[in-house]
């Protein structure tokens, strides 16, 4: 049975596909988008997060860590992440909830059992189960094992993907997934590399492969103010989508927000776009209208 490191199995989501859905967040992503709202899902390994505002400086975590990865001294608390093995003895020792677990290795059977519990809500709302992350297709065999069992129960399966995975990952899951939410972050490959750490060629090729395979795909654009919302990007993205024919007709804009920022501090890393404001709804609407004027059906996510 396949396993994967899972950070969360979140019920009652209405933002990750149609109806009421359970979202399974898998750890590990091949991209490093500077605006990423889920930094706890970038590394494939379990990680501990530290919430400074809850810490009372008692030192129990340092005493509990078998690797000596935590040093506390009064108000000072430092985690040496090179030494941390992600086994969470510190989190178990902390009475105050200042140390949180990001990631637990689960079998496909365990995830299936949890994800199917809300079938009644899926049935009444047209919902189902969504695999997200991170990038869920870094673990295609795991996704397939869970999805096969969900589908056998009549539960719809969605995969949210950045597309930057080998073609074989899509081939592994294709016949077990009802639809894909597929991010197109930039049409321009150099800018894609600058903001995500990788070029976009493979992403565009996989998008075309999926559409040509007859998969149902909703393309999505995380809309980052001043970064990928200009006319040049909009026109190039619309051109690419139209080149896909009917399968590329729909685009959803996902306005930039800062909700993940606190987690960067918890992980001891830096948020790289601190100067950005959240998206202005009027600017988002004018980008939406621009896409529509270019022949793309465009909506804005809630
Ligand atoms: S055990 Fe918790 S409260 Fe005590 S020092 Fe560690 S993180 Fe802070
Ligand atoms: S693809 Fe998604 S999870 Fe990966 S770095 Fe980008 S925003 Fe984060």
């Amino acid at each position: 049975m396949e396993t994967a490191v899972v950070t969360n199995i979140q019920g009652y989501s209405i933002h990750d596909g149609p109806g009421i859905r359970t979202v399974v967040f898998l750890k590990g992503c091949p991209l490093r988008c500077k605006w990423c709202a889920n930094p706890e899902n970038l590394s494939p390994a379990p990680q501990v997060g530290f919430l400074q505002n809850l810490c009372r400086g008692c030192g129990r975590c340092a005493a509990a860590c078998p690797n000596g990865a935590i040093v506390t001294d009064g108000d000072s608390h430092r985690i040496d992440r090179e030494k941390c093995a992600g086994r969470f003895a510190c989190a178990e020792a902390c009475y105050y909830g200042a140390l949180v677990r990001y990631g637990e290795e689960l079998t496909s059977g365990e995830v299936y059992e949890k994800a199917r519990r809300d079938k009644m809500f899926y049935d009444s709302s047209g919902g189902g189960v969504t695999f997200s992350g991170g990038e869920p297709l870094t673990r295609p065999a795991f996704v397939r094992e869970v999805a096969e069992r969900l589908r056998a129960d009549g539960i719809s399966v969605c995969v949210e993907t950045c597309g930057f995975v080998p073609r074989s990952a899509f081939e592994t899951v294709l016949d077990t997934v009802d639809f894909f939410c597929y991010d197109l972050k930039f049409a321009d490959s150099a800018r894609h590399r600058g903001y995500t750490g990788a070029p976009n060629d493979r992403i565009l090729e996989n998008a075309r492969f999926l559409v040509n395979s007859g998969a149902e795909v909703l393309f999505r654009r995380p809309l980052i103010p001043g970064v990928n919302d200009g006319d040049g990007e909009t026109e190039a993205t619309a051109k690419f989508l139209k080149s896909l024919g009917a399968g590329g007709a729909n685009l959803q804009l996902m306005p930039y927000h800062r909700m993940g920022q606190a987690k960067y501090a918890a992980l001891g890393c830096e948020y790289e776009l601190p100067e950005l404001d959240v998206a202005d709804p009027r600017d988002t609407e004018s980008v939406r209208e621009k896409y529509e004027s270019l022949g793309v059906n465009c909506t804005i996510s809630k």
Side-chain angles (χ1 to χ4, degrees), residues 197-266:
N200 68 359
D201 322 46
R202 180 190 288 182
I203 294 166
L204 301 185
E205 284 163 17
N206 281 335
R208 196 172 295 283
F209 164 76
L210 266 191
V211 167
N212 289 344
S213 302
E216 189 179 331
V217 186
L218 172 64
F219 289 100
R220 305 190 305 183
R221 160 61 56 93
L223 200 65
I224 317 300
V227 173
N228 64 356
D229 59 351
D231 283 354
E233 254 302 318
T234 304
E235 284 159 13
T237 303
K239 186 174 173 194
F240 172 73
L241 287 169
K242 288 171 75 180
S243 78
L244 299 176
N250 297 308
L251 179 70
Q252 184 177 68
L253 303 177
M254 300 190 297
Y256 170 75
H257 60 73
R258 293 168 137 185
M259 282 189 290
Q261 246 176 293
K263 288 183 277 188
Y264 282 82

Side-chain angles (χ1 to χ4, degrees), residues 29 31-33 35-36 42 133-134 162 185:
C29 183
L31 297 184
R32 289 294 179 270
C33 303
W35 57 82
C36 182
L42 298 181
C162 72
K185 302 174 202 297

Side-chain angles (χ1 to χ4, degrees), residues 26 28-39 41-42 132-136 161-164 183 185 195-196 222 264:
L26 302 191
C29 183
L31 297 184
R32 289 294 179 270
C33 303
K34 290 181 188 289
W35 57 82
C36 182
N38 297 312
N41 290 335
L42 298 181
S132 186
E135 170 50 60
T161 179
C162 72
F164 193 68
D183 284 4
K185 302 174 202 297
Y195 280 95
T196 73
Y264 282 82

Side-chain angles (χ1 to χ4, degrees), residues 50 54-62 72 77 90 93-96 98-99:
F50 172 61
L54 297 181
C55 178
R56 306 282 178 87
C58 68
R60 285 175 54 87
C61 53
T72 61
H77 184 288
C90 56
C94 180
Y95 290 155
Y96 305 102
L99 291 161

